[in-house]
Amino acid sequence: MNTVQWLSLLLFLAAGFMIYVAFLSYQQRHLPVARTMILIMIGAAWYASGYAFELLSRNLYEVKLSLQIEYIGIPFVTTLWLFQVIQFSGTASRYRKRLALALFVIPVGVFFSHLTNEWHHLFYEQYILNESTSFPLYKTVKGPWYQAHTLYNYFVLLCGFFLFIPMYWRSSRIVRKQIIVLTMGAAVPLLFNITLWFGMVVDLTPFGFAVSGIVYAWGILRFNLLRFTPLALTQVFDTIRDGVILLDYNDQIVNYNKAAEGVLPELTLTKHYPAYVGEVLSANPELIHSILDSHHGNERFSFFRSQADGNKNKYYQCSVSFIYDSGTPIGKMILFNDITELKENEARLRESANQLLELNSFKDKMFTVVAHDVRDPIAHLVSITELLGEELAADNNEHAELFGVLQGQVQNTFYLVENLLDWYRNQKGNVVFRPLGWNLQQVVRQALLLAESKAEMKHIVLREQIDEKFTVSADKEMLDLILRNLLSNAIKFTGIGGWIEIGATMDKDRIVVTIRDNGEGMDEETVEMLRRDDTFIKVPDLEQGAGHARFGLMLTREFIAIHGGNLWFDSVPRVGTTFFFTLLRSRGGMDVIDHWKEGEET
């Protein structure tokens, strides 16, 4: 193989390697920078392949055909590189499409100018056979379009380098390495192309692109060149709503986002960065002290900023985190999280809490008034109405029936006040639960004795069927209230001449108490209320007969729940209702029971 053939082979290998780099870039094709890299490598591959064919050409026709292959890529490679730099650096993001159209006007013109060169000869004026040597086979006389294309390529490369210079100084170490890789990818073909100006016969530019391919492949595999570009970093950095300041290892500010300017406007007063944080933020000595004293990372502190323009003050939660590169700390990141609204909400909540405390205090006073100044007069009124009612009934007074209605209203009001006070004490936590062992039969008989007078007025028979050995663990006051409410409810809805029966059965470690009547049954609203297991008690309307009963049943269920038991029922209209509730058995309460019996006998 002669020299020309070896060069052609190397060019084909270079083109193949460029296709491999394009394949590596294709794997990250979701990134615009990667898509541009694919086009660059494909264009360079056309250039190298066409030049290899040019070296192997044997006549002018083959030379011209080879040049057409080369110029599929030559006009666009350099401009594509500049566009990649623009994407990489985030330049003119709002006008990217219009900028691309402007940049590619001349390359497209070069492509069509070369394609139609035989008509106008503005690109190559003529082809001259090289008689002195066989390589190159033909020399070309360049036209104005070729000169314009050459100048444009150098201009494009310079623009890319100028874009990279300021970006390099303000970037982190890993981004700087990526910038170096992309710069070398353009600089090597440029240096190889410049050799033509010094009399080099062979165009080494395609070999320069092969070297660029090696550099790009190294950057992709070693530095994640196309995985997370500085544009993405910049967009993330600038769109963070919290203020962020980046410091290097020497506590110099190297970068900050727009939100940080809102937190610390003095950042904009410094024109050149990096700058020492102590000088830039000299108006905030406490903040500087907190930043410089952070030696372990992930440290948090508060920062308060008063507004000189009269606007509301700002509160921030600041955190300092170290930035690492291969395990070595290379700087710090200070994050300013605006918690002003949180502070304001906290103040409003504190004010609301104070108001609630005042309202709660007023509520407590109101219930104290109800307990002492309302309950006692109503209790006396109940006693008086009972006496008067008996006298009127004995005298067969014509107003006895009307007075009975009045007496019922007074009694309902009294029971309502009693239940309200019991419920309030339970909700407030003032109800003290002191379970002791009690003989269930004795407790039930005491409750029946208290309800006997009401039952006799309606000629209702009260029966008790409880084993005298049954003992329960219960709070006596609560158990009395439970029995009182259930018996009162049964008497209220049992007709004249009816019956009420209280029984109990053993169920493992519990005793199931039943209160059965042959009354009219519960109304649908009461049934629905108990099944919903409502926790909010609506104060009943005294004009409604079932209101007081529902309120008492709700309170009864709460007190049974305190005992660890359950309340359920079985009600059939015009047949009767049976309430069931459970209590724990008492295993060590016989001494208490005996003591209670002795107290009864004395």
Side-chain angles (χ1 to χ4, degrees):
M1 292 178 65
N2 56 30
T3 303
V4 173
Q5 291 173 331
W6 275 111
L7 287 174
S8 300
L9 179 61
L10 289 175
L11 287 169
F12 283 125
L13 291 175
F17 189 77
M18 294 173 198
I19 295 299
Y20 171 70
V21 176
F23 171 74
L24 293 178
S25 303
Y26 181 78
Q27 294 177 342
Q28 303 296 327
R29 60 189 178 278
H30 58 281
L31 297 173
V33 175
R35 293 197 292 269
T36 306
M37 178 67 80
I38 295 172
L39 295 176
I40 292 174
M41 290 294 101
I42 292 176
W46 279 106
Y47 186 4
S49 301
Y51 192 54
F53 285 123
E54 183 182 351
L55 294 179
L56 297 173
S57 297
R58 293 165 297 179
N59 52 55
L60 182 58
Y61 173 78
E62 291 180 357
V63 169
K64 290 182 178 180
L65 181 61
S66 299
L67 286 172
Q68 295 293 357
I69 296 173
E70 291 179 50
Y71 273 84
I72 294 175
I74 287 177
F76 306 103
V77 172
T78 307
T79 306
L80 283 169
W81 178 83
L82 175 61
F83 190 67
Q84 186 182 53
V85 172
I86 292 172
Q87 291 175 317
F88 193 82
S89 61
T91 305
S93 57
R94 294 183 179 180
Y95 312 103
R96 187 75 49 79
K97 292 182 179 180
R98 280 178 281 180
L99 181 60
L101 290 175
L103 287 174
F104 283 94
V105 167
I106 291 180
V108 171
V110 169
F111 174 78
F112 284 104
S113 176
H114 183 271
L115 187 66
T116 59
N117 186 68
E118 295 298 319
W119 300 347
H120 48 71
H121 299 287
L122 294 176
F123 204 87
Y124 291 124
E125 293 181 354
Q126 58 179 325
Y127 300 90
I128 302 174
L129 181 65
N130 189 359
E131 298 178 351
S132 60
T133 178
S134 61
F135 181 78
L137 186 60
Y138 281 88
K139 295 180 180 179
T140 55
V141 178
K142 278 70 175 179
W145 262 107
Y146 184 94
Q147 304 296 337
H149 178 225
T150 301
L151 293 175
Y152 182 73
N153 279 342
Y154 288 130
F155 171 74
V156 163
L157 290 171
L158 287 176
C159 288
F161 294 147
F162 278 120
L163 284 176
F164 269 150
I165 290 173
M167 183 180 177
Y168 178 86
W169 291 112
R170 68 171 184 264
S171 298
S172 62
R173 183 181 301 179
I174 184 65
V175 176
R176 287 181 177 182
K177 293 176 181 178
Q178 294 177 350
I179 292 174
I180 291 173
V181 168
L182 289 175
T183 303
M184 289 178 60
V188 173
L190 174 63
L191 293 175
F192 280 33
N193 182 264
I194 290 176
T195 59
L196 293 174
W197 296 88
F198 295 94
M200 175 65 69
V201 176
V202 178
D203 185 0
L204 299 179
T205 307
F207 296 99
F209 281 112
V211 176
S212 298
I214 296 173
V215 173
Y216 286 147
W218 177 59
I220 292 171
L221 299 174
R222 177 66 178 83
F223 301 119
N224 294 325
L225 180 63
L226 302 178
R227 292 186 181 231
F228 200 62
T229 64
L231 171 59
L233 289 170
T234 302
Q235 289 178 337
V236 171
F237 189 61
D238 287 338
T239 55
I240 294 176
R241 297 181 61 182
D242 297 330
V244 181
I245 298 177
L246 300 181
L247 276 65
D248 62 13
Y249 192 72
N250 296 317
D251 293 318
Q252 295 189 98
I253 298 176
V254 295
N255 204 356
Y256 57 87
N257 64 353
K258 294 180 181 179
E261 295 179 4
V263 179
L264 299 164
E266 53 265 44
L267 290 170
T268 59
L269 301 178
T270 302
K271 302 300 181 183
H272 301 287
Y273 285 96
Y276 182 59
V277 65
E279 296 177 357
V280 178
L281 306 179
S282 57
N284 302 278
E286 294 183 0
L287 177 61
I288 296 172
H289 178 75
S290 299
I291 294 173
L292 297 181
D293 283 354
S294 300
H295 302 295
H296 303 290
N298 298 322
E299 298 185 18
R300 296 178 178 273
F301 55 90
S302 299
F303 175 58
F304 169 76
R305 184 82 179 186
S306 58
Q307 303 296 312
D309 56 1
N311 292 330
K312 61 182 180 181
N313 296 328
K314 292 286 188 178
Y315 298 88
Y316 300 93
Q317 180 70 34
C318 306
S319 60
V320 179
S321 303
F322 278 88
I323 303 172
Y324 294 89
D325 184 11
S326 301
T328 303
I330 60 173
K332 299 176 182 177
M333 180 177 71
I334 298 94
L335 184 68
F336 295 85
N337 182 19
D338 190 345
I339 58 172
T340 304
E341 186 175 353
L342 185 63
K343 284 285 186 180
E344 292 175 349
N345 290 337
E346 183 180 340
R348 284 193 290 266
L349 285 173
R350 192 179 296 110
E351 182 179 354
S352 298
N354 291 333
Q355 292 177 353
L356 285 174
L357 285 174
E358 294 178 0
L359 290 172
N360 196 48
S361 177
F362 172 75
K363 180 195 67 176
D364 293 342
K365 292 178 181 178
M366 181 189 71
F367 271 96
T368 301
V369 170
V370 171
H372 295 284
D373 297 343
V374 177
R375 179 186 178 280
D376 291 343
I378 295 177
H380 290 304
L381 188 58
V382 169
S383 300
I384 293 172
T385 54
E386 286 180 352
L387 292 174
L388 290 175
E390 292 175 0
E391 292 180 2
L392 290 175
D395 295 340
N396 292 323
N397 193 294
E398 60 180 359
H399 298 297
E401 183 178 353
L402 180 61
F403 193 81
V405 176
L406 175 62
Q407 182 181 352
Q409 289 288 334
V410 173
Q411 288 178 341
N412 284 343
T413 304
F414 176 70
Y415 290 136
L416 172 62
V417 172
E418 285 271 274
N419 285 333
L420 273 173
L421 292 174
D422 289 334
W423 173 79
Y424 171 70
R425 287 195 296 270
N426 178 46
Q427 297 297 314
K428 189 173 174 59
N430 290 340
V431 174
V432 180
F433 180 59
R434 294 192 181 94
L436 295 173
W438 298 95
N439 184 284
L440 181 60
Q441 185 188 66
Q442 296 295 333
V443 175
V444 169
R445 286 180 177 180
Q446 186 182 39
L448 290 173
L449 186 62
L450 294 175
E452 189 175 355
S453 60
K454 292 183 181 179
E456 288 179 351
M457 295 176 63
K458 299 177 68 175
H459 304 290
I460 295 174
V461 177
L462 301 178
R463 295 195 294 262
E464 168 263 316
Q465 295 180 354
I466 298 177
D467 193 320
E468 64 178 3
K469 296 180 181 179
F470 283 178
T471 59
V472 294
S473 176
D475 182 284
K476 180 63 165 56
E477 292 185 3
M478 290 189 186
L479 185 53
D480 288 341
L481 183 142
I482 292 169
L483 293 171
R484 184 187 74 200
N485 276 329
L486 291 177
L487 285 171
S488 175
N489 184 69
I491 293 172
K492 186 177 185 66
F493 295 103
T494 299
I496 297 174
W499 53 265
I500 298 172
E501 182 180 274
I502 301 181
T505 57
M506 191 77 69
D507 182 15
K508 296 180 181 179
D509 62 339
R510 295 179 180 271
I511 292 178
V512 181
V513 182
T514 60
I515 299 179
R516 182 179 294 107
D517 65 65
N518 64 340
E520 62 188 56
M522 290 191 296
D523 60 281
E524 293 183 1
E525 187 175 352
T526 304
V527 171
E528 182 64 23
M529 176 201 70
L530 290 173
R531 286 177 177 168
R532 284 201 309 267
D533 195 22
D534 288 340
T535 57
F536 175 74
I537 297 176
K538 180 180 178 181
V539 177
D541 185 355
L542 293 177
E543 296 297 327
Q544 298 180 2
H548 162 64
R550 285 195 291 271
F551 189 82
L553 290 175
M554 295 286 285
L555 187 61
T556 298
R557 184 173 60 189
E558 290 195 21
F559 282 148
I560 291 174
I562 292 174
H563 282 79
N566 296 311
L567 174 71
W568 69 98
F569 60 92
D570 182 13
S571 181
V572 179
R574 294 181 298 279
V575 174
T577 301
T578 304
F579 275 95
F580 306 84
F581 68 91
T582 57
L583 295 171
L584 290 173
R585 290 176 55 193
S586 174
R587 299 183 182 276
M590 294 304 298
D591 293 338
V592 176
I593 296 166
D594 293 340
H595 176 72
W596 180 61
K597 286 183 177 180
E598 291 173 4
E600 289 269 313
E601 293 173 358
T602 57

